[in-house]
Amino acid sequence: MRMHPKETRAAKRAANLSVSAELLDQARELDINLSATLEAALQGEVRARRRQQWLEDNREAIATYNARIERDGVAGDHVRAFKARA
């Protein structure tokens, strides 16, 4: 039986970290779930950095592809029924 991605739980691991005392007090006062908030923020940061790394790793190939498209166009340009925007 396949499990829905939301039903699977990643293993959790405790982590020690330091946070501004004032910020921590404010978060607790507002009943902010620190673990969930940090996990969401880390997911966003990891995703952004992986995207940046992928773009950097593939920068040359992307530039080469874009130059070829600029020079030769894309397949099917001759049968396209609409005009491309400049």
Side-chain angles (χ1 to χ4, degrees), residues 30-57:
L30 295 168
D31 198 30
I32 294 173
N33 181 325
L34 297 177
S35 295
T37 302
L38 174 61
E39 192 164 328
L42 281 174
Q43 285 174 345
E45 186 66 19
V46 166
R47 185 173 31 254
R49 291 199 185 194
R50 283 191 172 157
R51 179 181 186 278
Q52 278 305 119
Q53 186 63 54
W54 186 91
L55 288 171
E56 181 59 32
D57 291 347

Side-chain angles (χ1 to χ4, degrees), residues 4-19:
H4 189 274
K6 295 279 184 185
E7 295 173 349
T8 60
R9 299 276 184 224
K12 303 282 183 167
R13 187 179 317 157
N16 294 324
L17 54 110
S18 298
V19 178

Side-chain angles (χ1 to χ4, degrees), residues 77 79-83:
D77 270 350
V79 295
R80 186 172 54 197
F82 60 91
K83 284 205 173 243

